[in-house]
Amino acid sequence: MLIDLQDIRKISKEDEALVAASLPLRFAKAMRFAFREDQLRSLGASLLMLRHLNVRQESEIAEDEFGKLHKVGGSEFNISHSGNYAAIAVNDSPVGVDIEVVRPENLNIAERVFCGEELQWMRAGDSMERFHILWTRKESVMKACGLGFKLPIEKLNTMPFETGDAVEIEGRYWKNLTRKEDDCYLSVSWEVQK
């Protein structure tokens, strides 16, 4: 598995030109964002795709019915961005990645998105840190399985990840890696055989 980050503060004019030439639709989509930071996060994800997927044109990337991107005839991958970073995970099996900048206001949604076991674990330690660990785990596994928010998020229990165990979703099994990156939490989930 490959996991990489792009610091959006290091994107050059040459990088922007490369995305514009290779992935003009993605470049145009990025430029529609009103704020420069949002443009750069989108460009950062495109740069990671160019760097790690050998993608040279948009026809090499397809989107499924749930909006998950796939490399046509190639490795599984997923992208995410938050704060100063864009992230990519590339794997032979389905994979999902989420990166989230730490924001205190995020704690306000914990009761709506976490199951009882997750809430108990979150409150038993540094709530801010544990919220972001749980949230990125949920997002990454929901993206990996390709169902996104079609899964009832509050019923998805990611606590098995805490002990290195797999989480089962509709008969498929998922492992997870979570780590802190600067002011963000990064989580990657991938499918495994039981």
Side-chain angles (χ1 to χ4, degrees):
M1 177 175 337
L2 175 133
I3 303 166
D4 195 16
L5 298 175
Q6 171 66 56
D7 186 330
I8 67 168
R9 298 166 292 191
K10 297 179 180 177
I11 294 175
S12 67
K13 291 295 179 191
E14 293 79 18
D15 292 332
E16 286 192 52
L18 175 62
V19 174
S22 302
L23 304 171
L25 296 176
R26 288 194 63 83
F27 179 80
K29 181 179 176 184
M31 293 300 107
R32 284 194 293 271
F33 286 110
F35 298 106
R36 182 65 178 155
E37 291 81 16
D38 294 327
Q39 293 173 357
L40 289 170
R41 280 189 277 275
S42 183
L43 290 170
S46 295
L47 282 169
L48 289 168
M49 290 183 343
L50 289 171
R51 187 176 306 137
H52 296 296
L53 299 174
N54 271 335
V55 171
R56 293 294 168 247
Q57 55 189 355
E58 276 156 323
S59 63
E60 297 177 70
I61 300 172
E63 190 173 312
D64 71 14
E65 63 190 273
F66 298 109
K68 186 174 182 187
L69 299 175
H70 299 274
K71 182 175 181 199
V72 177
S75 299
E76 295 278 343
F77 77 98
N78 196 237
I79 55 175
S80 182
H81 40 71
S82 184
N84 290 320
Y85 297 97
I88 191 169
V90 182
N91 196 33
D92 292 333
S93 67
V95 64
V97 63
D98 188 48
I99 188 166
E100 295 288 337
V101 69
V102 174
R103 291 188 180 98
E105 64 272 15
N106 287 345
L107 284 173
N108 297 331
I109 66 167
E111 299 262 342
R112 293 192 320 263
V113 298
F114 297 147
C115 70
E117 187 179 355
E118 290 170 327
L119 283 169
Q120 183 179 17
W121 181 78
M122 183 189 85
R123 292 175 178 143
D126 180 336
S127 291
M128 184 69 59
E129 174 185 15
R130 289 183 173 197
F131 171 90
H132 288 85
I133 289 169
L134 290 168
W135 180 258
T136 57
R137 285 176 176 169
K138 278 188 186 270
E139 281 263 347
S140 70
V141 76
M142 291 166 64
K143 291 170 73 177
C145 72
L147 297 174
F149 283 97
K150 293 234 180 229
L151 286 172
I153 191 169
E154 71 284 356
K155 292 181 181 169
L156 173 61
N157 185 355
T158 62
M159 286 311 298
F161 289 152
E162 188 59 24
T163 56
D165 293 326
V167 167
E168 187 261 331
I169 300 172
E170 297 184 354
R172 296 166 68 191
Y173 296 89
W174 307 91
K175 287 284 203 163
N176 179 271
L177 167 74
T178 302
R179 66 183 190 219
K180 189 153 197 272
E181 294 286 343
D182 195 12
D183 63 344
C184 298
Y185 282 89
L186 172 79
S187 188
V188 178
S189 295
W190 64 96
E191 188 172 20
V192 295
Q193 300 301 314
K194 182 81 178 186

